[in-house]
Amino acid sequence: MPPITKPAAPLARSETPPLPPQEHARSQGAARVLLVLTLSALGLWILHEFLPALAWALVLAIALWPVYTRLEHRFPPGKHNILLPTLMTAAVALVFLVPLVILGIQAAREAHDVAEFVRSAEANGVPAPEFLQHLPYGAAQATTWWNDNLGHAQAGSDLLRRFENHSVLGASKNVGREVVHRIVLFGFSLVALFFLFRDWRTVRNQSLTACHRLFGPRGERVARQMVASVHGTVDGLVLVGLGEGFLLGIVYHFAGVPHPVLLGAFTAVAAMIPFGAAVAIAIAALLLVAAGSVTAALVVAGAGLVVTFVADHFIRPALIGGTTKLPFLWVLLGILGGVETFGLLGLFVGPAVMAALVLLWREFTEGPDATA
């Protein structure tokens, strides 16, 4: 009887040998970094339409943080911490909305005069402005040219017809859409600002912890420097711009500039941008020249030159540079470059980025003790 042979054992499935602990940790770290980058990119893509609103909320929260902490110290929040953030957010909304409502009311009052001008121009042409008669040279020739080209009914009708074409109507529709879009973003900024006021301690502590863990003590110093830059920019641009608009608005009133309140508000906004106040002052002077008040126009131009010179060469460098320890040249470049890249938001983002870069450069060239 042949010996009974046992069946051959099945071949064992090949198994991948486990990675060494060091390589396994390295692969997990790479996968984690890839996951974080992918989710961050996806989150930015989802929120890209709302990033300006979030940035404005953050800028407003940083700018108003000293005021809010004082109010919070004087009026301690309750259990739910709702009332004070709501009041602060409502105050911010009113600061922006009240001037817009006033401007809207003023524009509505002027609509009747504009309609009358349009009807008169269509029927009789555009009359020659009075300042042409007061020109030192070529007054008669300029007045004659105006009357021949714009001072009759046919010219007025042709000029108005150009504003009724489809491109102008399309542009007005685009402006309407932009207005609605910005209103929505403004509302979202207010909502984000409310939560930043309510949870500012948590946001601050988490941000400083993240900066410290990612970049060490240097990251925390950079974050504090950027916050200080926002404070300095608010003081040096916004507050100084409002002061310039107030002072020049008084000058406009006594000089006889038409609509001094509106032009003063425009000057305040324009003064927040470097060299922007000069445009508003030039408009005020030209309006006075058009009305035949050359002396008043010179007074406005002189007063504007003095106010802007003092503000731009003494007050702003002291407020911005003293807070951020940043040369005013880099502040100016940050403001102009920021406005060119990010619009009005760049007024605050540009100097903050420049302050962080200058801080890193000083630490690299002089050591951490140089920025203490």
Side-chain angles (χ1 to χ4, degrees):
M1 181 177 219
I4 300 175
T5 59
K6 295 182 179 180
L11 294 175
R13 288 182 294 181
S14 60
E15 296 181 357
T16 303
L19 293 174
Q22 186 176 2
E23 293 185 5
H24 183 66
R26 188 181 299 113
S27 63
Q28 279 189 338
R32 191 181 301 112
V33 171
L34 180 62
L35 178 62
V36 170
L37 293 177
T38 302
L39 291 178
S40 300
L42 183 61
L44 291 175
W45 181 69
I46 293 173
L47 296 176
H48 73 279
E49 289 289 340
F50 297 96
L51 290 179
L54 291 173
W56 273 115
L58 183 60
V59 167
L60 290 172
I62 293 173
L64 297 173
W65 174 69
V67 178
Y68 184 80
T69 52
R70 292 192 190 100
L71 291 175
E72 194 178 51
H73 180 73
R74 185 170 182 178
F75 306 102
K79 182 182 297 186
H80 300 289
N81 191 19
I82 297 295
L83 182 59
L84 189 57
T86 302
L87 293 177
M88 281 291 295
T89 305
V92 172
L94 290 176
V95 167
F96 285 95
L97 293 178
V98 169
L100 292 177
V101 171
I102 294 174
L103 292 176
I105 294 173
Q106 189 68 27
R109 291 177 179 175
E110 298 294 332
H112 176 72
D113 295 337
V114 173
E116 288 293 334
F117 173 79
V118 170
R119 284 194 291 266
S120 175
E122 191 172 9
N124 305 313
V126 182
E130 185 180 355
F131 75 90
L132 291 179
Q133 302 176 7
H134 300 281
L135 292 176
Y137 301 101
Q141 294 84 347
T143 303
T144 302
W145 179 90
W146 189 285
N147 291 330
D148 292 341
N149 292 274
L150 300 174
H152 53 86
Q154 182 62 34
S157 299
D158 294 340
L159 183 63
L160 293 174
R161 196 176 296 114
R162 295 178 184 177
F163 291 94
E164 296 175 357
N165 56 26
H166 295 290
S167 61
V168 174
L169 293 176
S172 63
K173 292 180 181 179
N174 291 332
V175 170
R177 283 196 293 266
E178 284 294 322
V179 169
V180 173
H181 178 67
R182 295 190 183 281
I183 290 175
V184 172
L185 290 182
F186 179 67
F188 187 79
S189 296
L190 293 178
V191 174
L193 182 62
F194 167 80
F195 286 103
L196 286 174
F197 279 145
R198 194 191 68 173
D199 304 321
W200 70 268
R201 286 185 177 84
T202 302
V203 174
R204 181 198 62 183
N205 295 335
Q206 290 180 351
S207 300
L208 291 178
T209 300
C211 290
H212 189 80
R213 289 183 177 179
L214 289 173
F215 308 108
R218 179 176 299 175
E220 184 174 339
R221 286 195 296 271
V222 169
R224 294 185 182 277
Q225 180 76 350
M226 296 181 74
V227 170
S229 173
V230 173
H231 284 297
T233 306
V234 170
D235 294 338
L237 292 182
V238 178
L239 297 183
V240 174
L242 292 176
E244 288 185 54
F246 177 75
L247 293 176
L248 292 176
I250 296 175
V251 174
Y252 298 157
H253 173 73
F254 287 103
V257 179
H259 311 294
V261 176
L262 291 178
L263 196 56
F266 174 70
T267 304
V269 176
M272 297 177 191
I273 304 173
F275 314 113
V279 177
I281 296 168
I283 293 174
L286 289 176
L287 289 175
L288 290 173
V289 171
S293 302
V294 179
T295 303
L298 293 176
V299 171
V300 168
L305 179 63
V306 171
V307 170
T308 55
F309 180 83
V310 173
D312 293 340
H313 291 81
F314 296 99
I315 301 178
R316 277 194 174 127
L319 290 176
I320 301 179
T323 304
T324 61
K325 298 179 182 179
L326 187 65
F328 189 69
L329 173 62
W330 293 108
V331 175
L332 182 62
L333 293 175
I335 292 171
L336 295 176
V339 171
E340 177 69 22
T341 307
F342 300 105
L344 286 179
L345 187 62
L347 287 174
F348 309 97
V349 175
V353 174
M354 290 297 105
L357 290 175
V358 169
L359 174 66
L360 292 176
W361 175 254
R362 286 172 177 168
E363 288 193 352
F364 179 74
T365 57
E366 303 174 13
D369 294 336
T371 61

